Structures are given as structure tokens and as C-alpha cells.
Amino acid sequence: MKVTWKLPDGGEIAADVKDGINMMEAAVANNVPNVIGECGGNLSCATCHVYVDPDWMGKTGAADEFEDAMLDVAEAPRQDNSRLSCQITASADLDGLVLIVPEV
Ligand code: FES
């Protein structure tokens, strides 16, 4: 699937991501700034926080209760479209996904 990260400086990074890879791993592999993934995708750091483009929120779904709790401690302000990107997994359904990288 193709994913695009919109960066705080107005730039964009686009990449093809294999199914099953999560969006934190994909961001790190593509040198997306501000997405760190300190805990390796174990829902315990919130350094993989991103904003989902509003057009894609219906497809990515909502955060579960653990992710929801972790979003409260993310460094950048939480918004309605906040997600932890390690909890979004690449699949054909998400082809074209757009994620917005927070300023930290
Ligand atoms: Fe730590 Fe996502 S990588 S919560």
C-alpha cells in the first residue's frame, strides 16, 4: 500500500509499505521526522503519535482503550484524529493513506 506523511515543514514523504507492517515501523524505515517508536510498537511510549488525515479516519478506525490512554501522554497536543501509528497496520484497505506528522 502507499502511504504519505505530511511533515510540519510542509514537505511530504511517500512510500510503499508491505501489508502487515505498522505505520511506526514504516515511518522509521523511511526517516520520517518526529515519529520515533521508542518502545518498538508495544503501546508504551506514545512517540509514534500521528494525526490521521480526516478523510481516512473511517478506514483506520478508532483507538482501543490502551491506545486511548497512551494518547493522553503524547508530547504533541491530542486531537480527535490522533492515533499511535504503531497501532495502524498496512493493508490493501489503507492504500493511499495520509498521515500528518505532529510538530514536537
Ligand atoms: Fe511506542 Fe507506538 S511505538 S506506542
Side-chain angles (χ1 to χ4, degrees):
M1 61 164 274
K2 182 147 182 169
V3 58
T4 300
W5 291 270
K6 290 190 173 180
L7 308 180
D9 68 0
E12 286 186 357
I13 294 175
D16 284 311
V17 180
K18 283 192 187 145
D19 286 2
I21 303 288
N22 73 54
M23 290 301 122
M24 175 279 286
E25 294 169 318
V28 170
N30 288 284
N31 299 312
V32 174
N34 302 351
V35 179
I36 313 295
E38 209 167 278
C39 75
N42 289 317
L43 260 190
S44 56
C45 74
T47 63
C48 62
H49 178 210
V50 294
Y51 304 119
V52 174
D53 183 290
D55 289 347
W56 284 92
M57 283 174 67
K59 291 223 167 166
T60 53
D64 68 17
E65 103 184 69
F66 295 107
E67 181 182 345
D68 189 76
M70 283 307 293
L71 279 167
D72 283 341
V73 300
E75 198 168 334
R78 182 174 182 170
Q79 299 178 1
D80 287 347
N81 57 343
S82 285
R83 289 293 309 271
L84 294 180
S85 55
C86 67
Q87 302 302 304
I88 302 173
T89 304
S91 68
D93 279 0
L94 293 179
D95 186 32
L97 178 65
V98 177
L99 300 173
I100 299 155
V101 177
E103 207 158 346
V104 287

